[in-house]
Amino acid sequence: MIVKKVVILGGGVLGSQIAYQSAFSGITTVIYDISDEAVQQAQQKIDSYPQQYKQDIGATDEQVQAANANLSLTTDMKAAATDADVIIEAVPERLDIKESTYKSLAPYITDQTLLLTNSSTLIPSQLIDFAPNKKRFMAMHFANLIWTHNVAELMWAKDTP
């Protein structure tokens, strides 16, 4: 699978880190969040990452500029999710919020889209019934400070092939 577009649903602490790492890796990346205020908060987090990347991993100005060019933020689910190869859900750890997010996502996801949850407290079997693409759904939980700890746990649900 060639990944050309990654979408992060939720620009909180880990969502914003995942998005910036994806963009830093050269992939067109979109953060979707529910309000202008949430998008602004995500942008504030993102604004701190270039200096951290320079300090922690020796990122160059050119690498940071390229990452920034690869990253966008929106409150428009359709614009964010359309043509996404990978969608990573990083919304709050509440089943009702995750269910609502997946229902909103359903019209824009294809059979080929890989849908991941970054949940740290809920297991995939608790979420798979909400997932619009059950055959391409799993958990991929990233460690905080993803650019230095480049680690993720992978878990699948029993119905995921």
Side-chain angles (χ1 to χ4, degrees), residues 14 17 21 52-53 56-57 141-153:
L14 275 172
Q17 289 183 33
Q21 182 66 23
Q52 289 180 282
Y53 271 62
D56 294 346
I57 63 171
H141 182 254
F142 291 89
N144 200 12
L145 301 178
I146 188 173
W147 57 92
T148 58
H149 297 118
N150 208 9
V151 173
E153 296 175 288

Side-chain angles (χ1 to χ4, degrees), residues 8-114:
I8 312 301
L9 305 176
V13 173
L14 275 172
S16 62
Q17 289 183 33
I18 296 165
Y20 199 79
Q21 182 66 23
S22 174
F24 188 80
S25 298
I27 300 168
T28 299
T29 304
V30 180
I31 294 176
Y32 162 82
D33 221 316
I34 60 171
S35 68
D36 290 336
E37 180 181 350
V39 165
Q40 290 171 355
Q41 290 172 356
Q43 186 63 59
Q44 288 175 348
K45 290 175 189 68
I46 290 163
D47 289 344
S48 71
Y49 298 152
Q51 187 57 40
Q52 289 180 282
Y53 271 62
K54 288 177 183 181
Q55 178 182 326
D56 294 346
I57 63 171
T60 65
D61 288 336
E62 293 78 20
Q63 288 174 307
V64 165
Q65 289 169 1
N68 292 339
N70 287 333
L71 183 61
S72 63
L73 295 90
T74 186
T75 58
D76 183 339
M77 174 73 82
K78 180 178 180 180
T82 299
D83 297 326
D85 300 301
V86 177
I87 298 176
I88 302 172
E89 169 267 304
V91 302
E93 296 289 287
R94 286 185 29 198
L95 279 174
D96 60 327
I97 294 174
K98 291 184 183 292
E99 180 178 12
S100 174
T101 299
Y102 291 174
K103 284 181 179 178
S104 296
L105 176 64
Y108 314 113
I109 197 168
T110 71
D111 290 342
Q112 300 308 308
T113 307
L114 181 61

Side-chain angles (χ1 to χ4, degrees), residues 89-90 93 98 117-123 127 139-141 155:
E89 169 267 304
E93 296 289 287
K98 291 184 183 292
T117 180
N118 187 59
S119 180
S120 58
T121 61
L122 301 170
I123 58 176
L127 304 172
M140 187 171 177
H141 182 254
M155 297 173 278

